[in-house]
Amino acid sequence: MIERTSYTPGSLPQPPLPVNRKSSSRRRRNQALIFIIAFLVAATAWKLFERSGSELPFSPEINVPPVTELHPIVAAKQQELIAQTSEAGITILITDGFRSTEEQNGLYEQGRSTDGPVVTQVRGGHSYHNYGLAIDFALRTKDGEVVWDMKYDGNGNSKADWLEVVAIAKKLGFSWGGDWEGFKDYPHLQMDFGYSIRELLRGKRPPME
């Protein structure tokens, strides 16, 4: 005689549910990918923030005298640039040097709230011009015309005068806006002395000599 054991449904141990290992692995990879993307976006945003200081108000954290003219070293290098380009048969015109915060804001509005093309991406306090650390230049032709023609060869040596000026400027210690990523500022030359806009906004200034 066979002994029967009575049981109620669900009283016996149930086998574990099958694990979808592929789905779990895919989920982990997706989570890791999301983390990496978020990290890269945050790092890029921080670099842009450090470079431009565009989110910082124009209010130095320490009391410093207002900048009203070119930094003396920049002014001296500007004169050297004019002299050396002249020796190369190129005449340049410095079209801009120190620029006040108000002037910067006026330029920023050009192409936005006022007529004209967009010429700058930064508001007052966020340009090296506002600290006397940058200049802009143009070329003057033999006829006296002021041009921004980057292919113009006025000295007839089969080289673009514009790029000759840039090469001389770099040897003097300037950096060129034409090398920037994104928005290019081809007439722009600056000497930042290693100071970021963020630091300048906080009141830090390069030595005067």
Side-chain angles (χ1 to χ4, degrees), residues 62-170:
I62 60 176
N63 292 325
V64 291
V67 179
T68 59
E69 59 185 4
L70 279 180
H71 187 284
I73 296 178
V74 178
K77 294 297 183 179
Q78 170 187 274
Q79 295 306 312
E80 289 185 43
L81 178 65
I82 294 172
Q84 290 188 28
T85 52
S86 178
E87 291 176 2
I90 302 170
T91 302
I92 65 171
L93 175 68
I94 303 301
T95 59
D96 210 351
F98 166 75
R99 188 187 300 150
S100 70
T101 303
E102 293 73 23
E103 290 172 324
Q104 184 70 34
N105 284 330
L107 283 178
Y108 181 81
E109 292 305 322
Q110 182 174 313
R112 296 179 173 88
S113 63
T114 62
D115 294 335
V118 172
V119 294
T120 183
Q121 298 294 313
V122 294
R123 293 185 172 90
H126 299 271
S127 168
Y128 283 99
H129 283 283
N130 304 148
Y131 304 95
L133 303 178
I135 60 174
D136 292 341
F137 76 94
L139 301 175
R140 192 184 292 277
T141 69
K142 294 179 180 179
D143 296 330
E145 183 183 1
V146 177
V147 298
W148 285 262
D149 185 351
M150 294 183 63
K151 296 182 180 179
Y152 176 74
D153 178 20
N155 60 3
N157 64 353
S158 300
K159 297 179 182 179
D161 289 358
W162 196 279
L163 297 182
E164 287 189 78
V165 174
V166 169
I168 294 172
K170 287 182 176 181

Side-chain angles (χ1 to χ4, degrees), residues 165-184:
V165 174
V166 169
I168 294 172
K170 287 182 176 181
K171 289 181 180 179
L172 291 173
F174 287 99
S175 58
W176 181 40
D179 290 330
W180 293 348
E181 296 179 4
F183 182 80
K184 304 287 187 180

